[in-house]
Amino acid sequence: MTTIPYKTYLSEAELPQAYYNVRADMKTDHRPLLHPETLQPVTVADLEPIFCRELAKQELNATDRFIPIPDEILQFYRMYRPSPLVRAYCLERELDTPAEIYYKYEGGNTSGSHKLNTAIAQAYYAKEQGLKGVTTETGAGQWGSALAMACAYFGLDLKVFMVRCSIEQKPYRKVLMETYGATVLPSPSNTTIAGRSFLADDPDSSGSLGMAISEAIEVSLADPNYRYTLGSVLNQVLLHQSIIGLETKAALDQLAVEADILIGCAGGGSNLGGLMAGFIGDKLKGGRGPHIIAVEPASCPTLTRGKFSYDYCDTGKVTPLAMMYTLGSGFVPAAGHAGGLRYHGMSPIISQLYHDGYIEEARSYGQKDVFAAAIRFARCEGLLPAPESAHAIKAAIDEAEKCKENGEKKVIVFGLTGMGSFDLSAYAAYNADLLENTGLEESSLRSSLAKLPVV
Ligand SMILES: *Cc1c(COP(=O)(O)O)cnc(C)c1O
């Protein structure tokens, strides 16, 4: 019997050469994006003022199973990919579990998360189209940092609207973005019509991703040389993130290991969508595949308590409507620390696959329990995880403990999406016992859902 190494790296030559488009294999495609005024399915022409041309096409592409990765993007990937698949031997020992635990680590680049995988693709297509720059929003700051790196690499301007409470929690994220040449504005800001209207409603607003999106889109629409970019939720983002799952599957195949349980944290759904990309195709064709678990914060429980409904992707209601699990586009989550998971909606692809049972399970955890799992992991595996990633760790630990109770030797694979070096203020709050397992009041959920658009 061969011993499985701590780390498995594919060689550079084994780096995937094409993105996998799960829509080509979905039995039921997600319902189309709808134009916010006409309520008709959007066309590439509708999307082109917002996204650059190639990305607008990718957004609506439901037929091409594989989309080749351009050489310029592959060159950048080679600087930090393939990422390692790690066997968590030390965590297994700590848990005294018969389960085998693996994680795919995406935190090993300067931006510190998987978001660089799509940032570099989106910047490339914008550059190729001859644009001057792009705008975006960022919550916790990982996406803004990743896009700042990508824009610096291709020589594009970048304007980032950062959720106000995150700037206060994570000041060094702003410094990182500025170091890579980006302009960072706190959202809601008084520089846009949307921002001024949010401030008129609540001058002390802590901000939300939905508000920041409205501002970033407004600014990009005002200049024909700019386009808007988004770090999650969209089909194009899941497409680019498929590289995570393709690498994971190839590495497991080399080890002759089959995953029984696949776990990803879920904010907008992009890392989970990327991780499952190596596994879901067989399942959709009627074959075997791992039991898939999406994990979210109890304070922003989109899949576990939201409604499967058409909704706007932003608070200002300027984006197309998507059929997705949603808490309502006006929903502002409690100022918890899992910044990257605080979005009201969920990727339409993930939503449809969950609705149809191909993603079998979603669960939520309170932040205090999540940090306890993060610290348990950090102390034995060495890596300090991002709080978002720690949701997946918590689920992996729970599953491994179940295996111990039942004497089962399952293979658990989870996505470790990012590192936590920028999240020390959140760790400080946990260490000082200031965190609570904040949930979501049924009454505020109900009043938010009552405002869903009728389509
Ligand atoms: C943004 C982010 C997430 C959540 O976003 P998804 O689109 O659901 O993947 C998770 N982990 C980290 C580290 C992030 O930066």
Side-chain angles (χ1 to χ4, degrees):
M1 204 182 113
T2 53
T3 313
I4 290 185
Y6 271 75
K7 282 188 183 167
T8 304
Y9 284 99
L10 300 177
S11 72
E12 240 176 72
E14 291 164 321
L15 198 69
Q17 304 290 305
Y19 296 124
Y20 169 64
N21 179 10
V22 65
R23 288 178 74 195
D25 287 326
M26 280 167 70
K27 293 269 182 302
T28 314
D29 192 13
H30 69 73
R31 303 267 296 282
L33 293 175
L34 300 182
H35 192 285
E37 278 149 32
T38 63
L39 297 185
Q40 293 302 304
V42 298
T43 61
V44 170
D46 290 331
L47 292 181
E48 269 196 58
I50 306 177
F51 303 122
C52 66
R53 196 170 311 121
E54 203 52 39
L55 293 170
K57 283 192 208 153
Q58 289 182 359
E59 196 57 35
L60 300 185
N61 187 334
T63 49
D64 294 322
R65 183 168 290 114
F66 289 101
I67 295 179
I69 305 176
D71 270 344
E72 291 84 345
I73 299 176
L74 278 174
Q75 276 176 31
F76 190 87
Y77 281 160
R78 285 194 197 102
M79 291 193 277
Y80 73 102
R81 306 200 70 82
S83 68
L85 180 73
V86 185
R87 172 79 185 268
Y89 279 116
C90 302
L91 181 63
E92 289 171 20
R93 212 178 307 134
E94 152 81 11
L95 299 172
D96 189 27
T97 175
E100 287 182 22
I101 308 175
Y102 297 81
Y103 58 89
K104 178 74 167 163
Y105 183 49
E106 291 291 323
N109 66 76
T110 296
S111 74
S113 85
H114 65 291
K115 295 208 173 68
L116 191 55
N117 301 330
T118 182
I120 197 66
Q122 295 189 44
Y124 166 74
Y125 291 116
K127 183 70 183 177
E128 195 205 19
Q129 191 173 323
L131 297 175
K132 181 159 182 284
V134 294
T135 70
T136 199
E137 77 296 325
T138 195
Q142 286 97 311
W143 165 240
S145 308
L147 193 62
M149 289 175 71
C151 286
Y153 183 75
F154 284 120
L156 290 164
D157 279 353
L158 171 60
K159 289 192 186 114
V160 182
F161 287 88
M162 184 167 185
V163 176
R164 185 178 299 273
C165 67
S166 298
I167 291 200
E168 285 153 18
Q169 282 164 5
K170 300 168 83 172
Y172 290 119
R173 278 282 171 199
K174 180 167 180 272
V175 177
L176 182 61
M177 288 181 258
E178 289 169 345
T179 303
Y180 276 94
T183 305
V184 183
L185 296 145
S187 170
S189 78
N190 57 17
T191 66
T192 65
I193 298 166
R196 285 191 290 274
S197 97
F198 300 137
L199 286 172
D201 288 346
D202 177 6
D204 299 321
S205 175
S206 59
S208 70
L209 277 174
M211 292 182 198
I213 293 173
S214 304
E215 291 201 85
I217 291 181
E218 183 183 322
V219 170
S220 77
L221 287 175
D223 185 333
N225 294 311
Y226 278 76
R227 290 294 184 281
Y228 166 72
T229 60
L230 183 63
S232 185
V233 184
L234 297 171
N235 296 343
Q236 54 186 274
V237 179
L238 269 74
L239 180 73
H240 307 147
Q241 294 296 0
S242 66
I243 191 161
I244 302 174
L246 296 173
E247 283 183 17
T248 304
K249 181 66 164 62
L252 287 172
D253 285 351
Q254 282 184 7
L255 302 173
V257 169
E258 215 173 300
D260 297 308
I261 301 174
L262 196 69
I263 301 170
C265 61
S270 74
N271 85 84
L272 177 62
L275 183 63
M276 75 176 188
F279 305 85
I280 193 97
D282 287 346
K283 220 162 154 177
L284 289 166
K285 288 174 210 137
R288 274 166 50 81
H291 177 88
I292 302 178
I293 306 175
V295 190
E296 49 192 20
S299 57
C300 194
T302 315
L303 285 170
T304 46
R305 291 175 66 196
K307 197 169 163 197
F308 190 44
S309 168
Y310 265 111
D311 196 7
Y312 298 93
C313 300
D314 70 318
T315 310
K317 304 185 177 178
V318 297
T319 58
L321 289 96
M323 182 71 179
M324 60 184 175
Y325 280 85
T326 178
L327 298 167
S329 65
F331 178 78
V332 179
H337 284 285
L341 304 179
R342 301 171 72 239
Y343 181 62
H344 70 272
M346 183 56 64
S347 139
I349 290 175
I350 296 285
S351 294
Q352 189 68 46
L353 289 172
Y354 178 61
H355 190 70
D356 293 341
Y358 291 102
I359 293 171
E360 288 87 352
E361 195 184 335
R363 61 174 78 159
S364 70
Y365 293 115
Q367 58 176 351
K368 197 169 172 180
D369 299 339
V370 166
F371 273 90
I375 286 172
R376 202 167 177 195
F377 177 87
R379 288 185 186 171
C380 60
E381 284 290 322
L383 289 171
L384 186 72
E388 294 88 350
S389 321
H391 288 72
I393 295 175
K394 167 72 177 144
I397 291 178
D398 282 2
E399 289 304 306
E401 289 186 328
K402 237 184 266 168
C403 286
K404 183 178 177 184
E405 279 164 34
N406 305 333
E408 286 177 308
K409 193 176 153 43
K410 288 191 177 166
V411 173
I412 301 168
V413 178
F414 71 92
L416 189 66
T417 50
M419 54 84 166
S421 303
F422 286 101
D423 298 282
L424 291 175
S425 72
Y427 279 96
Y430 177 80
N431 293 340
D433 201 20
L434 297 174
L435 294 190
E436 283 176 40
N437 280 328
T438 14
L440 170 59
E441 292 287 342
E442 187 60 33
S443 56
S444 50
L445 175 61
R446 232 177 295 143
S447 73
S448 179
L449 291 178
K451 292 181 210 126
L452 284 176
V454 181
V455 175

